[in-house]
Amino acid sequence: MSTEKILRDQESKVVISIIGSVLVALSGLILFADKVFTFELINNYGFKKTSTFIWVFSQSLSPMLLLIASIFKPYKTSYLIPIYIYTIQIVWVFNPQIKFVDYFLQLYAIGAAFFYLLLSFIIFKISKMKFRREKEILETQKELKETVEILRNNFISSN
Protein backbone atom coordinates (compact mmCIF):
# COMPACT_ATOMS: atom_id res chain seq x y z
CA MET A 1 0.00 0.00 0.00
CA SER A 2 1.35 3.40 -0.89
CA THR A 3 2.10 6.08 1.67
CA GLU A 4 -0.36 8.39 -0.04
CA LYS A 5 -3.21 5.88 0.36
CA ILE A 6 -2.34 5.33 4.02
CA LEU A 7 -2.42 9.10 4.63
CA ARG A 8 -5.78 9.40 2.87
CA ASP A 9 -7.19 6.56 4.99
CA GLN A 10 -5.94 8.23 8.17
CA GLU A 11 -7.39 11.58 7.09
CA SER A 12 -10.72 9.89 6.36
CA LYS A 13 -10.76 8.33 9.84
CA VAL A 14 -10.02 11.71 11.40
CA VAL A 15 -12.81 13.40 9.42
CA ILE A 16 -15.26 10.63 10.36
CA SER A 17 -14.27 10.94 14.04
CA ILE A 18 -14.74 14.71 13.86
CA ILE A 19 -18.22 14.24 12.37
CA GLY A 20 -19.04 11.80 15.18
CA SER A 21 -17.69 14.25 17.77
CA VAL A 22 -19.85 17.06 16.37
CA LEU A 23 -22.90 14.78 16.55
CA VAL A 24 -22.03 13.92 20.16
CA ALA A 25 -21.78 17.63 20.98
CA LEU A 26 -25.10 18.29 19.23
CA SER A 27 -26.72 15.51 21.26
CA GLY A 28 -25.87 17.54 24.34
CA LEU A 29 -26.59 20.97 22.94
CA ILE A 30 -30.08 20.04 21.74
CA LEU A 31 -31.03 19.67 25.38
CA PHE A 32 -31.06 23.48 25.55
CA ALA A 33 -33.52 23.75 22.63
CA ASP A 34 -36.40 24.64 24.95
CA LYS A 35 -34.40 27.64 26.20
CA VAL A 36 -33.57 28.87 22.68
CA PHE A 37 -36.88 28.47 20.85
CA THR A 38 -39.41 31.01 22.10
CA PHE A 39 -42.22 30.29 19.63
CA GLU A 40 -45.49 28.58 20.57
CA LEU A 41 -46.94 25.64 18.67
CA ILE A 42 -50.64 25.21 18.01
CA ASN A 43 -50.46 21.53 18.96
CA ASN A 44 -48.28 20.72 22.00
CA TYR A 45 -49.18 17.01 21.87
CA GLY A 46 -50.75 17.03 25.31
CA PHE A 47 -48.16 19.20 27.02
CA LYS A 48 -49.27 22.46 28.63
CA LYS A 49 -46.50 24.54 27.06
CA THR A 50 -44.44 24.31 23.89
CA SER A 51 -41.23 24.64 25.87
CA THR A 52 -42.14 21.52 27.89
CA PHE A 53 -42.90 19.62 24.69
CA ILE A 54 -39.56 20.69 23.16
CA TRP A 55 -37.72 19.77 26.36
CA VAL A 56 -39.22 16.26 26.51
CA PHE A 57 -38.70 15.77 22.77
CA SER A 58 -35.05 16.83 22.98
CA GLN A 59 -34.56 14.52 25.99
CA SER A 60 -35.82 11.65 23.81
CA LEU A 61 -33.88 12.65 20.70
CA SER A 62 -30.53 13.22 22.42
CA PRO A 63 -29.74 9.56 23.27
CA MET A 64 -30.68 8.51 19.74
CA LEU A 65 -28.29 11.10 18.33
CA LEU A 66 -25.60 9.78 20.70
CA LEU A 67 -26.12 6.26 19.37
CA ILE A 68 -25.86 7.43 15.78
CA ALA A 69 -22.74 9.43 16.64
CA SER A 70 -21.10 6.38 18.22
CA ILE A 71 -21.11 4.68 14.81
CA PHE A 72 -18.67 7.36 13.62
CA LYS A 73 -16.21 6.54 16.45
CA PRO A 74 -16.06 10.07 17.90
CA TYR A 75 -13.23 11.25 20.09
CA LYS A 76 -13.93 10.11 23.64
CA THR A 77 -13.49 13.59 25.09
CA SER A 78 -16.45 14.84 23.06
CA TYR A 79 -18.70 12.86 25.41
CA LEU A 80 -17.85 15.42 28.11
CA ILE A 81 -20.27 17.88 26.46
CA PRO A 82 -23.45 15.78 26.84
CA ILE A 83 -22.32 14.59 30.29
CA TYR A 84 -21.93 18.22 31.37
CA ILE A 85 -25.32 19.22 29.95
CA TYR A 86 -27.14 16.11 31.19
CA THR A 87 -25.84 16.91 34.67
CA ILE A 88 -27.32 20.38 34.43
CA GLN A 89 -30.60 18.87 33.22
CA ILE A 90 -30.69 16.53 36.24
CA VAL A 91 -30.29 19.47 38.61
CA TRP A 92 -33.02 21.40 36.77
CA VAL A 93 -35.41 18.46 37.11
CA PHE A 94 -35.20 18.80 40.89
CA ASN A 95 -34.85 22.58 41.05
CA PRO A 96 -36.03 24.38 37.88
CA GLN A 97 -35.52 27.81 39.45
CA ILE A 98 -31.72 27.50 39.38
CA LYS A 99 -30.21 29.72 36.70
CA PHE A 100 -27.64 28.47 34.22
CA VAL A 101 -25.05 30.94 35.53
CA ASP A 102 -25.33 29.61 39.10
CA TYR A 103 -21.83 28.92 40.44
CA PHE A 104 -22.75 25.65 42.21
CA LEU A 105 -24.62 24.35 39.18
CA GLN A 106 -21.55 24.90 37.01
CA LEU A 107 -19.25 23.42 39.65
CA TYR A 108 -21.46 20.35 39.96
CA ALA A 109 -21.68 19.86 36.18
CA ILE A 110 -17.92 20.34 35.67
CA GLY A 111 -17.26 17.95 38.56
CA ALA A 112 -19.53 15.32 37.03
CA ALA A 113 -17.78 15.67 33.67
CA PHE A 114 -14.35 15.29 35.29
CA PHE A 115 -15.62 12.31 37.30
CA TYR A 116 -16.76 10.72 34.03
CA LEU A 117 -13.35 11.42 32.52
CA LEU A 118 -11.57 9.93 35.54
CA LEU A 119 -13.87 6.90 35.62
CA SER A 120 -13.39 6.21 31.91
CA PHE A 121 -9.60 6.57 32.32
CA ILE A 122 -9.62 4.08 35.21
CA ILE A 123 -11.78 1.62 33.27
CA PHE A 124 -9.48 1.95 30.25
CA LYS A 125 -6.38 1.29 32.39
CA ILE A 126 -7.97 -1.72 34.12
CA SER A 127 -9.06 -3.10 30.75
CA LYS A 128 -5.55 -2.62 29.37
CA MET A 129 -4.01 -4.34 32.40
CA LYS A 130 -6.47 -7.23 32.06
CA PHE A 131 -5.67 -7.61 28.35
CA ARG A 132 -1.93 -7.55 29.08
CA ARG A 133 -2.37 -10.17 31.83
CA GLU A 134 -4.42 -12.43 29.53
CA LYS A 135 -1.75 -12.10 26.85
CA GLU A 136 0.97 -13.05 29.36
CA ILE A 137 -1.06 -16.08 30.45
CA LEU A 138 -1.52 -17.22 26.84
CA GLU A 139 2.20 -16.79 26.15
CA THR A 140 3.06 -18.77 29.30
CA GLN A 141 0.64 -21.53 28.31
CA LYS A 142 2.21 -21.67 24.85
CA GLU A 143 5.72 -21.89 26.33
CA LEU A 144 4.61 -24.63 28.75
CA LYS A 145 3.07 -26.64 25.92
CA GLU A 146 6.26 -26.29 23.88
CA THR A 147 8.37 -27.32 26.88
CA VAL A 148 6.14 -30.35 27.59
CA GLU A 149 6.33 -31.32 23.91
CA ILE A 150 10.15 -31.07 23.92
CA LEU A 151 10.38 -33.09 27.15
CA ARG A 152 7.98 -35.69 25.76
CA ASN A 153 9.98 -35.98 22.53
CA ASN A 154 13.25 -36.26 24.48
CA PHE A 155 11.79 -38.88 26.81
CA ILE A 156 10.39 -40.94 23.92
CA SER A 157 13.65 -40.76 21.95
CA SER A 158 15.71 -41.78 25.00
CA ASN A 159 13.61 -44.91 25.56
Side-chain angles (χ1 to χ4, degrees):
M1 209 188 304
S2 72
T3 307
E4 190 175 301
K5 180 161 176 29
I6 292 171
L7 286 175
R8 270 187 303 200
D9 288 348
Q10 288 175 343
E11 287 175 357
S12 296
K13 287 180 182 179
V14 167
V15 168
I16 289 170
S17 289
I18 289 171
I19 291 169
S21 297
V22 168
L23 289 174
V24 167
L26 285 175
S27 77
L29 293 173
I30 111 178
L31 298 173
F32 288 133
D34 65 308
K35 308 287 186 257
V36 175
F37 298 119
T38 57
F39 57 84
E40 289 295 321
L41 297 173
I42 297 169
N43 183 0
N44 290 328
Y45 298 94
F47 293 94
K48 290 183 181 181
K49 297 187 330 189
T50 299
S51 61
T52 306
F53 166 69
I54 292 173
W55 183 71
V56 171
F57 182 69
S58 68
Q59 292 289 321
S60 303
L61 193 59
S62 178
M64 291 183 228
L65 195 54
L66 262 177
L67 287 173
I68 292 168
S70 70
I71 295 168
F72 292 92
K73 297 187 179 178
Y75 294 109
K76 304 295 185 244
T77 54
S78 67
Y79 287 99
L80 291 174
I81 297 168
I83 293 293
Y84 171 80
I85 296 171
Y86 264 116
T87 303
I88 291 172
Q89 293 284 349
I90 289 170
V91 171
W92 279 342
V93 165
F94 293 106
N95 191 353
Q97 282 70 35
I98 288 182
K99 300 294 181 201
F100 181 76
V101 294
D102 183 83
Y103 172 78
F104 289 111
L105 175 66
Q106 295 300 318
L107 187 64
Y108 181 71
I110 290 169
F114 278 118
F115 177 75
Y116 163 80
L117 192 60
L118 177 66
L119 185 63
S120 61
F121 176 76
I122 290 170
I123 290 170
F124 174 76
K125 285 295 185 184
I126 290 171
S127 175
K128 194 173 180 181
M129 287 173 21
K130 182 181 175 197
F131 176 76
R132 203 177 307 138
R133 180 74 178 137
E134 288 173 353
K135 188 176 175 185
E136 289 173 2
I137 289 171
L138 288 174
E139 288 174 2
T140 303
Q141 286 175 343
K142 182 181 173 189
E143 289 174 9
L144 283 172
K145 285 180 183 178
E146 290 172 357
T147 304
V148 167
E149 188 64 33
I150 290 170
L151 289 172
R152 185 182 300 146
N153 288 340
N154 286 342
F155 180 74
I156 291 174
S157 65
S158 67
N159 284 338

